[in-house]
């Protein structure tokens, strides 16, 4: 009779391999983190290089729209005018004097050709049948002629323009529209200083940058109280076209190095995934197949059988154990040794215990 040697060495080998894999995984994860950090550093260097390049030419604009309300003759106010920032009875307003101020600054000297014009738009809105307010009238006025100027080799210049709004005239015009068409409108006067800039960077072969800007006040034309609203940002900072917008050699080097480290990190991630992809455990595969096809004649027990007074007979393969069980019309006893990842299968006949050990070795 041939004894089959139990192959428990595979279990200890797998445990040792698992521990080794854990250490390897930790090393790989640390390397991945380092690669990502380094890639991030080089990407940041590239972005900073681009930012420094783009910021060679920046400009700032400062806007002001101070105004004064001139009153009709009345017995209520002790002055003939009111300062900006208040609420005013609409019927008390005769004129609105507006002082537009515009300051242009840049961090490097440029040439600027600019023009500006003050306009006013009287807009009438009315309620429609679907309870929406829509524009039904728009009348545009030029308050000044177009002004054009050129400044060379400068870092700062300013525009100042004063306009006078005949509020009473606008109010009468809006009321006349209502009477003529038999509708009630909500009227707004938008007074704007329109500014057009053509910025040229000296001694550099680049396109001229065109900027359209404005300063705007919104003046309600109504029968109640007038509160003037500002519709522009007081200060803005923007970039001017850099002298060379192409990516530099230094930027390319930074980005290439960053990409290489990212690729290395991705490769390491793939390696970890492949290394830790759990293949089907051969032992579990073997015992599950046995239980699936021969479960009717197998009795699984939780306690290890006491075979002290029996003679152990190790069979050569699982099929021999099946033959013994069928010939003696008895069941196979199954006891699983979890910590060893193996199962002991017994067939007890008289004073003999026929035994087969299921391990990770193939059984068929």
């Amino acid at each position: 009779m041939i004894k089959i040697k139990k192959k428990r060495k595979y279990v200890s080998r797998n445990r040792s391999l698992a521990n080794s894999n854990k250490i390897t995984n930790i090393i790989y994860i640390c390397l991945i983190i380092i690669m990502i950090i380094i890639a991030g550093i080089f990407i940041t260097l590239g972005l900073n290089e681009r930012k420094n390049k783009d910021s060679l030419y920046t400009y700032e604009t400062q806007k002001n729209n101070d105004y004064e309300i001139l009153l009709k003759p009345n017995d209520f106010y002790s002055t003939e005018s009111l300062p900006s920032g208040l609420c005013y009875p609409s019927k008390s307003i005769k004129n609105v004097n507006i002082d537009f101020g515009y300051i242009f600054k840049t961090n490097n000297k440029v040439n600027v050709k600019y023009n500006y014009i003050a306009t006013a738009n009287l807009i009438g809105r009315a309620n429609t049948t679907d309870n929406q307010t829509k524009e039904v009238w728009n009348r545009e006025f030029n308050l000044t002629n177009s002004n054009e100027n050129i400044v060379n080799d400068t870092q700062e210049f300013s525009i100042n323009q004063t306009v006078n709004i005949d509020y009473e005239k606008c109010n009468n015009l809006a009321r006349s529209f209502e009477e003529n068409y038999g509708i009630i409108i909500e009227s707004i006067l938008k007074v704007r200083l329109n500014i057009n800039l053509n910025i040229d960077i000296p001694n550099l072969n680049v396109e001229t940058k065109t900027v359209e800007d404005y300063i705007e006040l919104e003046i309600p034309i109504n029968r109640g109280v007038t509160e003037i609203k500002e519709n522009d940002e007081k200060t803005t900072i923007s970039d001017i076209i850099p002298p060379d917008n192409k990516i530099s050699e230094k930027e390319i080097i930074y980005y290439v190095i960053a990409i290489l480290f990212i690729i290395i990190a991705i490769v390491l991630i793939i390696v970890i995934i492949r290394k830790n992809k759990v293949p089907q455990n051969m032992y579990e595969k073997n015992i599950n197949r046995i239980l699936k096809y021969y479960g009717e004649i197998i009795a699984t027990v939780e306690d290890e059988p006491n075979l002290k007074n029996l003679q152990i007979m190790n069979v050569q393969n699982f099929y021999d154990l099946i033959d013994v069980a069928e010939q003696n019309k008895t069941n196979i006893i199954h006891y699983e040794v979890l910590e060893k990842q193996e199962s002991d299968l017994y067939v007890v006949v008289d004073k003999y215990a026929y035994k087969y050990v299921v391990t990770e070795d193939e059984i068929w």
Side-chain angles (χ1 to χ4, degrees):
M1 187 170 295
I2 301 174
K3 274 191 174 184
I4 296 180
K5 187 177 181 180
K6 296 181 183 178
K7 300 186 178 182
R8 297 179 182 175
K9 61 181 179 180
Y10 292 109
V11 176
S12 59
R13 183 189 67 185
N14 288 340
R15 287 176 179 171
S16 176
L17 184 60
N19 292 331
S20 176
N21 284 341
K22 286 182 181 179
I23 296 172
T24 304
N25 288 342
I26 292 172
I27 295 173
Y28 281 164
I29 291 171
C30 291
L31 288 174
I32 290 169
I33 293 172
I34 293 171
M35 298 298 158
I36 292 174
I37 292 173
I38 295 174
I41 291 172
F42 278 99
I43 290 173
T44 302
L45 290 173
L47 293 175
N48 288 338
E49 182 72 15
R50 168 59 53 175
K51 184 178 179 182
N52 292 334
K53 187 178 180 181
D54 288 344
S55 63
L56 288 175
Y57 291 88
T58 62
Y59 69 90
E60 175 184 332
T61 61
Q62 297 174 3
K63 304 173 185 179
N64 181 53
N65 46 23
D66 193 25
Y67 59 89
E68 179 185 31
I69 304 297
L70 302 181
L71 301 174
K72 297 176 184 178
N74 65 88
D75 297 327
F76 305 100
Y77 292 98
S78 59
T79 59
E80 295 181 352
S81 64
L82 294 175
S84 60
L86 305 177
C87 292
Y88 317 96
S90 299
K91 290 184 178 181
S92 71
I93 303 174
K94 181 179 181 180
N95 296 87
V96 181
N97 287 340
I98 304 173
D99 291 324
F100 288 118
Y102 185 84
I103 299 175
F104 176 93
K105 297 179 180 180
T106 182
N107 61 339
N108 283 296
K109 291 184 178 181
V110 294
N111 299 327
V112 183
K113 180 181 180 180
Y114 66 91
N115 61 74
Y116 60 92
I117 184 172
T119 61
N121 269 63
L122 185 55
I123 302 168
R125 298 189 181 100
N127 292 328
T128 61
T129 54
D130 55 356
N131 293 324
Q132 292 186 355
T133 302
K134 294 185 179 180
E135 183 178 311
V136 295
W137 178 42
N138 190 317
R139 179 79 177 270
E140 183 174 353
F141 308 90
N142 285 339
L143 303 178
T144 66
N145 295 325
S146 179
N147 294 276
E148 187 172 304
N149 204 345
I150 297 175
V151 289
N152 293 320
D153 201 25
T154 185
Q155 288 185 250
E156 180 178 341
F157 69 89
S158 62
I159 298 172
N160 295 286
Q161 180 66 59
T162 299
V163 295
N164 180 272
I165 304 298
D166 192 335
Y167 185 90
E168 188 174 12
K169 180 180 178 180
C170 293
N171 197 7
N172 291 338
L173 188 60
R175 302 293 77 81
S176 177
F177 182 91
E178 290 180 329
E179 292 172 4
N180 189 68
Y181 292 106
I183 59 175
I184 297 176
I185 61 172
E186 176 189 340
S187 303
I188 297 174
L189 185 68
K190 291 189 176 182
V191 184
R192 174 182 285 206
L193 182 68
N194 299 284
I195 305 161
N196 184 275
L197 308 171
N198 291 296
I199 306 168
D200 178 58
I201 302 173
N203 304 319
L204 293 172
N205 186 23
V206 294
E207 294 182 359
T208 300
K209 182 177 180 65
T210 300
V211 177
E212 293 183 356
D213 209 349
Y214 66 90
I215 309 173
E216 184 178 84
L217 286 179
E218 188 175 291
I219 307 173
I221 307 293
N222 53 43
R223 299 180 178 83
V225 175
T226 295
E227 183 177 6
I228 298 177
K229 178 182 177 183
E230 299 178 5
N231 286 341
D232 52 71
E233 293 183 51
K234 290 299 182 184
T235 303
T236 60
I237 298 176
S238 305
D239 290 328
I240 298 177
I241 300 173
D244 181 6
N245 205 31
K246 295 180 181 179
I247 189 168
S248 66
E249 183 178 343
K250 204 171 185 180
E251 286 178 85
I252 293 175
I253 293 173
Y254 287 146
Y255 292 138
V256 168
I257 293 174
I259 291 170
L260 288 176
F261 278 105
I262 290 173
I263 291 173
I264 294 172
I266 292 172
V267 170
L268 290 176
I269 291 171
I270 294 172
V271 169
I272 289 178
I273 292 173
R274 288 184 175 179
K275 283 178 65 67
N276 291 275
K277 188 176 180 181
V278 180
Q280 186 175 9
N281 187 294
M282 189 55 67
Y283 156 71
E284 292 180 356
K285 180 179 178 181
N286 287 338
I287 192 62
N288 286 338
R289 289 172 72 182
I290 289 173
L291 295 175
K292 178 179 179 181
Y293 293 106
Y294 300 96
E296 294 181 355
I297 62 171
I298 295 176
T300 300
V301 296
E302 293 184 356
D303 299 322
E304 184 177 6
N306 185 358
L307 307 175
K308 187 174 181 180
N309 297 322
L310 299 177
Q311 184 175 350
I312 306 298
M313 308 292 288
N314 292 291
V315 299
Q316 187 173 5
N317 57 60
F318 174 68
Y319 295 108
D320 290 340
L321 195 66
I322 293 290
D323 290 340
V324 173
E326 289 180 346
Q327 289 173 9
N328 292 276
K329 297 181 179 181
T330 186
N331 289 334
I332 298 174
I333 300 171
H334 168 221
Y335 174 69
E336 187 171 25
V337 187
L338 289 174
E339 64 274 11
K340 296 181 180 180
Q341 278 203 318
E342 63 182 36
S343 287
D344 295 334
L345 301 179
Y346 302 96
V347 173
V348 179
V349 179
D350 297 331
K351 61 180 181 177
Y352 298 101
Y354 297 88
K355 180 179 180 182
Y356 177 74
V357 179
V358 180
T359 63
E360 61 182 12
D361 283 353
E362 288 284 355
I363 59 172
W364 41 45

